[in-house]
Amino acid sequence: MPDFTFRNNPNLASLDVGGNRIFELSENSFTGSALTHLDVDSNRLTDFNPAWFESINQTLRVLDIFGNNLLNLNSNGFANLRGITTLIAGSNPFWNIAHDAFTGLEAIETLSLSQCGITAMAPSWFEGMSSLTNLYLQDNNIGFLPDGIFNSLTSLRSLTITDNNLRFLGAAAFGTSLASVQNILASRNRIRAFDSAILDGADNLQWLMLNGNICTQSDFVLSMPGDLDGIRQSLTRCFANFGSDE
């Protein structure tokens, strides 16, 4: 997409160029616009360059780069996009996501990193994201959640981590975010052990989906309010394994 494609469009606020064959953006592609919503999903971008958005970094709120061929998210890649509230970056074959790739996304409310082949996450990825409410990590290869990985997410409402390779789920991964979380969707992992402290500390929990795991029934779904004593009984095997199965 060449420079100054939209230079005579100062009132242009939303742009969808998804589903094309765009393999490169220019540093001034969006100069002259005042975009708040930009959708470049399902194209052929391979390198993420923060300079693409320099001209709209004061106005951009929603960025969709889903389904490209992006391989790397380098350090401070979003540092100048502090106003973004939604980042959809799923379905990219990332080889590397720097430990400080998301630094600066302090206003973000929704982050999607689904279908990216992620096997491990750096605890620093989510630092400073105190406004984040929805985190989508489904369809990756995540096998472990480090203690405190979600601790900075003090506004977290919904965590979707279905279809990964988790073997256990512990309260320590959530830290202070446990107090705000409402939905934990962890179906179709390999969970053998579940920390009972999650039920003790998640006072606002409304949905807990653990169906399709090793220590739960195939159709296990907790919906609150419900029979919490019965739920605890159905998770007896999961609780017993926690601590010995990690």
Side-chain angles (χ1 to χ4, degrees), residues 155-217:
S155 297
L156 185 65
R157 298 291 182 270
S158 185
L159 170 66
T160 302
I161 196 162
T162 55
D163 297 288
N164 277 277
N165 290 312
L166 294 176
R167 294 177 63 245
F168 67 93
L169 198 59
F174 291 88
T176 57
S177 71
L178 196 59
S180 64
V181 71
Q182 296 177 357
N183 305 314
I184 301 174
L185 312 181
S187 304
R188 296 180 300 279
N189 279 270
R190 301 174 59 201
I191 295 173
R192 302 175 56 90
F194 184 87
D195 189 354
S196 62
I198 291 177
L199 295 183
D200 296 334
D203 294 332
N204 292 300
L205 189 64
Q206 296 179 8
W207 287 94
L208 173 62
M209 299 185 67
L210 292 173
N211 52 296
N213 283 287
I214 292 175
C215 73
T216 58
Q217 297 176 357

Coordinates of all heavy atoms in Angstrom, one line a residue, residues 155-217:
S155 N -8.2 -5.8 36.0 CA -9.6 -5.6 35.5 C -10.1 -6.9 34.7 O -11.1 -6.8 34.1 CB -9.7 -4.4 34.6 OG -9.4 -3.2 35.4
L156 N -9.3 -7.9 34.7 CA -9.6 -9.1 33.9 C -11.0 -9.7 34.2 O -11.3 -9.9 35.4 CB -8.6 -10.2 34.1 CG -8.7 -11.4 33.3 CD1 -8.5 -11.1 31.8 CD2 -7.7 -12.5 33.7
R157 N -11.8 -9.8 33.2 CA -13.1 -10.4 33.3 C -13.2 -11.8 32.7 O -13.8 -12.7 33.3 CB -14.2 -9.5 32.7 CG -14.3 -8.2 33.3 CD -14.9 -8.2 34.7 NE -15.0 -6.9 35.3 CZ -14.1 -6.3 36.0 NH1 -13.0 -6.8 36.2 NH2 -14.3 -5.1 36.5
S158 N -12.6 -12.0 31.5 CA -12.7 -13.2 30.8 C -11.4 -13.7 30.3 O -10.7 -13.0 29.6 CB -13.7 -13.1 29.7 OG -13.9 -14.3 29.1
L159 N -11.0 -14.9 30.6 CA -9.8 -15.6 30.1 C -10.2 -16.8 29.3 O -10.9 -17.7 29.8 CB -8.9 -16.0 31.2 CG -7.7 -16.9 30.8 CD1 -6.7 -16.2 30.0 CD2 -7.0 -17.5 32.1
T160 N -9.9 -16.8 28.0 CA -10.1 -17.9 27.1 C -8.8 -18.6 26.8 O -8.0 -18.0 26.1 CB -10.9 -17.5 25.9 OG1 -12.1 -16.8 26.2 CG2 -11.2 -18.7 25.0
I161 N -8.6 -19.8 27.3 CA -7.4 -20.5 27.1 C -7.7 -22.0 26.7 O -7.0 -22.9 27.0 CB -6.5 -20.4 28.3 CG1 -5.0 -20.8 28.0 CG2 -7.0 -21.2 29.5 CD1 -4.0 -20.3 29.0
T162 N -8.8 -22.2 25.9 CA -9.2 -23.5 25.5 C -8.2 -24.0 24.4 O -7.5 -23.3 23.8 CB -10.6 -23.4 24.9 OG1 -10.6 -22.4 23.8 CG2 -11.7 -23.0 25.9
D163 N -8.2 -25.3 24.3 CA -7.5 -26.0 23.2 C -6.0 -25.7 23.3 O -5.4 -25.2 22.3 CB -8.1 -25.6 21.8 CG -9.5 -26.1 21.7 OD1 -9.7 -27.3 21.5 OD2 -10.4 -25.3 21.7
N164 N -5.4 -25.9 24.5 CA -4.0 -25.8 24.7 C -3.5 -27.1 25.3 O -4.2 -28.1 25.1 CB -3.6 -24.6 25.5 CG -3.6 -23.3 24.7 OD1 -2.6 -22.9 24.1 ND2 -4.7 -22.5 24.8
N165 N -2.3 -27.1 25.9 CA -1.8 -28.3 26.5 C -1.5 -28.1 28.0 O -0.6 -28.8 28.5 CB -0.5 -28.6 25.8 CG -0.7 -29.1 24.4 OD1 -1.5 -29.9 24.1 ND2 0.1 -28.5 23.4
L166 N -2.3 -27.3 28.7 CA -2.2 -27.2 30.1 C -2.4 -28.5 30.9 O -3.3 -29.2 30.6 CB -3.2 -26.1 30.6 CG -3.0 -24.7 30.2 CD1 -4.1 -23.8 30.7 CD2 -1.6 -24.1 30.6
R167 N -1.5 -28.7 31.8 CA -1.7 -29.9 32.7 C -2.2 -29.6 34.0 O -2.8 -30.5 34.7 CB -0.3 -30.6 32.8 CG 0.2 -31.2 31.5 CD 1.6 -31.8 31.6 NE 1.6 -32.9 32.5 CZ 2.2 -33.0 33.7 NH1 2.9 -31.9 34.1 NH2 2.2 -34.0 34.5
F168 N -2.1 -28.4 34.5 CA -2.7 -28.0 35.7 C -3.1 -26.5 35.7 O -2.5 -25.7 34.9 CB -1.8 -28.3 36.9 CG -0.5 -27.5 37.0 CD1 -0.5 -26.3 37.7 CD2 0.6 -28.0 36.4 CE1 0.7 -25.6 37.8 CE2 1.8 -27.3 36.4 CZ 1.8 -26.1 37.2
L169 N -4.0 -26.1 36.6 CA -4.4 -24.7 36.6 C -4.4 -24.3 38.1 O -5.1 -24.8 38.9 CB -5.8 -24.6 36.1 CG -6.3 -23.2 35.7 CD1 -5.4 -22.6 34.6 CD2 -7.8 -23.3 35.2
G170 N -3.5 -23.3 38.4 CA -3.3 -22.9 39.8 C -3.7 -21.4 40.0 O -3.6 -20.6 39.1
A171 N -4.1 -21.1 41.2 CA -4.4 -19.8 41.6 C -3.3 -18.8 41.5 O -3.5 -17.6 41.2 CB -5.0 -19.8 43.0
A172 N -2.0 -19.3 41.7 CA -0.9 -18.4 41.7 C -0.7 -17.7 40.3 O -0.1 -16.7 40.2 CB 0.4 -19.2 42.1
A173 N -1.1 -18.4 39.3 CA -1.0 -17.8 37.9 C -1.8 -16.5 37.8 O -1.4 -15.5 37.1 CB -1.4 -18.7 36.8
F174 N -2.9 -16.4 38.5 CA -3.8 -15.3 38.4 C -3.4 -14.2 39.4 O -3.6 -13.0 39.0 CB -5.3 -15.7 38.8 CG -5.9 -16.6 37.8 CD1 -5.7 -18.0 37.8 CD2 -6.6 -16.1 36.7 CE1 -6.3 -18.8 36.9 CE2 -7.2 -16.9 35.8 CZ -7.0 -18.3 35.8
G175 N -2.9 -14.5 40.5 CA -2.5 -13.4 41.5 C -3.7 -12.5 41.8 O -4.8 -13.0 42.1
T176 N -3.5 -11.2 41.7 CA -4.6 -10.3 42.1 C -5.7 -10.3 41.1 O -6.8 -9.8 41.4 CB -4.0 -8.9 42.2 OG1 -3.4 -8.5 41.0 CG2 -3.0 -8.8 43.4
S177 N -5.5 -10.8 39.9 CA -6.6 -10.8 38.9 C -7.7 -11.8 39.3 O -8.8 -11.7 38.7 CB -6.1 -11.1 37.5 OG -5.7 -12.5 37.4
L178 N -7.4 -12.7 40.2 CA -8.4 -13.7 40.6 C -9.7 -13.0 41.2 O -10.8 -13.5 41.1 CB -7.8 -14.6 41.6 CG -8.6 -15.9 41.9 CD1 -8.7 -16.7 40.6 CD2 -7.8 -16.8 42.9
A179 N -9.5 -11.8 41.8 CA -10.6 -11.2 42.4 C -11.6 -10.6 41.4 O -12.8 -10.4 41.8 CB -10.1 -10.0 43.3
S180 N -11.2 -10.3 40.2 CA -12.0 -9.7 39.2 C -12.5 -10.7 38.2 O -13.6 -10.4 37.5 CB -11.3 -8.5 38.5 OG -10.2 -9.0 37.8
V181 N -11.9 -11.8 38.0 CA -12.2 -12.6 36.9 C -13.6 -13.2 37.0 O -14.0 -13.7 38.1 CB -11.1 -13.8 36.7 CG1 -11.2 -14.8 37.8 CG2 -11.3 -14.4 35.3
Q182 N -14.3 -13.3 35.9 CA -15.7 -13.8 35.9 C -15.8 -15.1 35.1 O -16.6 -15.9 35.4 CB -16.7 -12.7 35.3 CG -16.8 -11.5 36.1 CD -17.7 -10.4 35.5 OE1 -18.2 -10.6 34.4 NE2 -17.9 -9.3 36.2
N183 N -15.0 -15.2 34.0 CA -15.1 -16.4 33.2 C -13.7 -16.9 33.0 O -12.7 -16.2 32.5 CB -15.6 -16.0 31.8 CG -17.0 -15.3 31.9 OD1 -17.9 -15.7 32.6 ND2 -17.2 -14.2 31.1
I184 N -13.5 -18.2 33.3 CA -12.3 -19.0 33.0 C -12.7 -20.1 32.0 O -13.4 -21.1 32.5 CB -11.6 -19.5 34.2 CG1 -11.3 -18.4 35.2 CG2 -10.4 -20.3 33.9 CD1 -10.7 -18.8 36.5
L185 N -12.3 -20.0 30.8 CA -12.7 -21.0 29.8 C -11.4 -21.8 29.4 O -10.5 -21.3 28.7 CB -13.3 -20.3 28.6 CG -14.3 -19.2 28.8 CD1 -14.9 -18.7 27.6 CD2 -15.5 -19.8 29.7
A186 N -11.3 -23.0 29.9 CA -10.1 -23.8 29.8 C -10.5 -25.2 29.3 O -9.8 -26.2 29.6 CB -9.4 -23.9 31.1
S187 N -11.5 -25.3 28.4 CA -11.9 -26.6 27.9 C -10.8 -27.2 27.0 O -9.9 -26.5 26.4 CB -13.1 -26.4 27.0 OG -14.2 -25.9 27.8
R188 N -10.8 -28.5 26.8 CA -9.9 -29.2 25.9 C -8.5 -28.9 26.0 O -7.8 -28.6 25.1 CB -10.5 -29.0 24.5 CG -11.9 -29.5 24.2 CD -12.3 -29.3 22.8 NE -12.4 -27.8 22.5 CZ -13.3 -27.0 22.9 NH1 -14.4 -27.5 23.5 NH2 -13.3 -25.7 22.5
N189 N -8.0 -29.0 27.3 CA -6.6 -29.0 27.5 C -6.2 -30.4 28.0 O -6.9 -31.4 27.6 CB -6.2 -28.0 28.6 CG -6.1 -26.6 28.1 OD1 -5.0 -26.1 27.7 ND2 -7.2 -25.8 28.0
R190 N -5.2 -30.5 28.8 CA -4.8 -31.9 29.4 C -4.8 -31.7 30.9 O -3.9 -32.4 31.5 CB -3.5 -32.3 28.8 CG -3.4 -32.4 27.3 CD -2.0 -32.7 26.8 NE -1.5 -33.9 27.4 CZ -0.2 -34.2 27.4 NH1 0.7 -33.4 27.0 NH2 0.2 -35.4 28.0
I191 N -5.6 -30.9 31.4 CA -5.6 -30.6 32.9 C -5.9 -31.9 33.7 O -6.9 -32.5 33.6 CB -6.6 -29.5 33.2 CG1 -6.2 -28.2 32.5 CG2 -6.7 -29.3 34.7 CD1 -7.2 -27.1 32.6
R192 N -4.9 -32.2 34.6 CA -5.1 -33.3 35.5 C -5.3 -32.8 36.9 O -5.7 -33.6 37.8 CB -3.8 -34.2 35.5 CG -3.5 -34.7 34.1 CD -2.2 -35.5 34.1 NE -2.2 -36.5 35.2 CZ -2.6 -37.8 34.9 NH1 -3.0 -38.1 33.7 NH2 -2.6 -38.7 35.9
A193 N -4.9 -31.5 37.2 CA -5.0 -31.0 38.5 C -5.5 -29.5 38.5 O -5.1 -28.7 37.6 CB -3.6 -31.0 39.2
F194 N -6.3 -29.2 39.5 CA -7.0 -27.9 39.6 C -6.9 -27.4 41.0 O -7.2 -28.2 42.0 CB -8.4 -28.0 39.1 CG -9.2 -26.7 39.1 CD1 -9.1 -25.9 37.9 CD2 -9.9 -26.3 40.2 CE1 -9.8 -24.7 37.9 CE2 -10.6 -25.1 40.2 CZ -10.6 -24.3 39.0
D195 N -6.4 -26.2 41.2 CA -6.2 -25.6 42.5 C -7.6 -25.1 43.1 O -8.2 -24.3 42.5 CB -5.3 -24.4 42.3 CG -4.8 -23.9 43.7 OD1 -5.3 -24.3 44.7 OD2 -3.9 -22.9 43.7
S196 N -7.9 -25.7 44.2 CA -9.2 -25.3 44.8 C -9.2 -23.9 45.3 O -10.3 -23.3 45.5 CB -9.5 -26.2 46.1 OG -8.5 -26.1 47.0
A197 N -8.0 -23.3 45.4 CA -7.9 -21.8 45.8 C -8.5 -20.9 44.7 O -8.9 -19.8 45.0 CB -6.5 -21.5 46.1
I198 N -8.7 -21.4 43.5 CA -9.3 -20.6 42.5 C -10.8 -20.4 42.9 O -11.3 -19.3 42.8 CB -9.2 -21.3 41.1 CG1 -7.7 -21.2 40.6 CG2 -10.1 -20.6 40.1 CD1 -7.5 -22.0 39.3
L199 N -11.5 -21.4 43.3 CA -12.9 -21.3 43.7 C -13.0 -20.5 45.0 O -14.0 -19.7 45.2 CB -13.5 -22.7 43.9 CG -13.6 -23.5 42.7 CD1 -14.4 -24.8 43.0 CD2 -14.4 -22.8 41.5
D200 N -12.0 -20.6 45.8 CA -12.0 -19.8 47.1 C -11.8 -18.3 46.9 O -12.4 -17.5 47.5 CB -10.9 -20.3 48.0 CG -11.1 -21.8 48.5 OD1 -12.3 -22.2 48.5 OD2 -10.1 -22.4 48.8
G201 N -11.0 -18.0 45.9 CA -10.6 -16.6 45.7 C -11.3 -15.8 44.6 O -11.3 -14.6 44.6
A202 N -11.9 -16.6 43.7 CA -12.6 -15.9 42.6 C -14.0 -15.6 42.9 O -15.0 -16.2 42.6 CB -12.6 -16.8 41.3
D203 N -14.2 -14.5 43.7 CA -15.5 -14.2 44.3 C -16.5 -13.8 43.2 O -17.7 -13.8 43.4 CB -15.4 -13.0 45.3 CG -14.6 -13.4 46.5 OD1 -14.6 -14.6 46.8 OD2 -14.0 -12.5 47.1
N204 N -16.1 -13.4 42.0 CA -17.0 -12.9 40.9 C -17.1 -13.9 39.8 O -17.7 -13.6 38.8 CB -16.5 -11.6 40.4 CG -16.6 -10.4 41.3 OD1 -17.7 -10.1 41.8 ND2 -15.4 -9.8 41.7
L205 N -16.6 -15.2 40.1 CA -16.6 -16.2 39.0 C -18.1 -16.5 38.6 O -18.9 -16.8 39.5 CB -15.9 -17.4 39.5 CG -15.7 -18.5 38.5 CD1 -14.7 -18.0 37.4 CD2 -15.1 -19.8 39.2
Q206 N -18.3 -16.5 37.3 CA -19.6 -16.9 36.8 C -19.6 -18.1 35.9 O -20.5 -18.9 35.9 CB -20.2 -15.7 36.0 CG -20.4 -14.4 36.8 CD -21.0 -13.3 36.0 OE1 -21.3 -13.5 34.8 NE2 -21.1 -12.1 36.6
W207 N -18.5 -18.3 35.2 CA -18.4 -19.4 34.3 C -17.0 -20.1 34.5 O -16.0 -19.4 34.4 CB -18.6 -19.1 32.8 CG -20.0 -18.7 32.5 CD1 -20.6 -17.5 32.4 CD2 -21.0 -19.7 32.1 NE1 -21.9 -17.6 32.0 CE2 -22.2 -18.9 31.8 CE3 -21.0 -21.1 31.9 CZ2 -23.4 -19.5 31.4 CZ3 -22.2 -21.7 31.5 CH2 -23.4 -20.9 31.2
L208 N -17.0 -21.4 34.7 CA -15.8 -22.1 34.7 C -16.0 -23.3 33.7 O -16.8 -24.2 34.0 CB -15.4 -22.6 36.1 CG -14.2 -23.6 36.2 CD1 -12.9 -22.9 35.7 CD2 -14.1 -24.1 37.6
M209 N -15.3 -23.3 32.6 CA -15.4 -24.4 31.6 C -14.2 -25.3 31.6 O -13.1 -24.8 31.3 CB -15.7 -23.8 30.2 CG -17.0 -23.0 30.2 SD -17.4 -22.4 28.5 CE -17.8 -24.0 27.7
L210 N -14.3 -26.5 32.0 CA -13.2 -27.5 32.1 C -13.5 -28.7 31.3 O -12.8 -29.8 31.5 CB -12.9 -27.8 33.6 CG -12.3 -26.7 34.4 CD1 -12.2 -27.2 35.9 CD2 -11.0 -26.3 33.9
N211 N -14.5 -28.7 30.5 CA -14.9 -29.9 29.8 C -13.8 -30.3 28.8 O -13.0 -29.5 28.3 CB -16.2 -29.7 29.0 CG -16.1 -28.5 28.1 OD1 -16.0 -27.3 28.6 ND2 -16.2 -28.6 26.8
G212 N -13.6 -31.6 28.6 CA -12.6 -32.2 27.7 C -11.2 -32.2 28.3 O -10.3 -32.2 27.6
N213 N -11.1 -32.2 29.7 CA -9.8 -32.4 30.3 C -9.7 -33.8 30.9 O -10.7 -34.6 30.9 CB -9.6 -31.3 31.3 CG -9.3 -29.9 30.7 OD1 -8.2 -29.8 30.2 ND2 -10.2 -29.0 30.7
I214 N -8.6 -34.1 31.5 CA -8.3 -35.4 32.0 C -9.0 -35.7 33.3 O -9.6 -36.8 33.5 CB -6.8 -35.6 32.2 CG1 -6.1 -35.7 30.8 CG2 -6.5 -36.9 32.9 CD1 -4.6 -35.8 30.8
C215 N -9.1 -34.7 34.2 CA -9.6 -35.0 35.6 C -11.1 -34.5 35.7 O -11.6 -34.6 36.8 CB -8.7 -34.3 36.6 SG -8.9 -32.5 36.7
T216 N -11.7 -34.1 34.6 CA -13.1 -33.7 34.7 C -13.9 -34.5 33.8 O -13.5 -35.1 32.8 CB -13.2 -32.2 34.3 OG1 -12.7 -32.0 33.0 CG2 -12.5 -31.3 35.3
Q217 N -15.2 -34.4 34.0 CA -16.2 -35.1 33.1 C -16.1 -34.3 31.8 O -15.8 -33.1 31.7 CB -17.6 -35.1 33.7 CG -17.7 -35.8 35.0 CD -19.1 -35.7 35.6 OE1 -19.9 -35.0 35.1 NE2 -19.3 -36.4 36.7

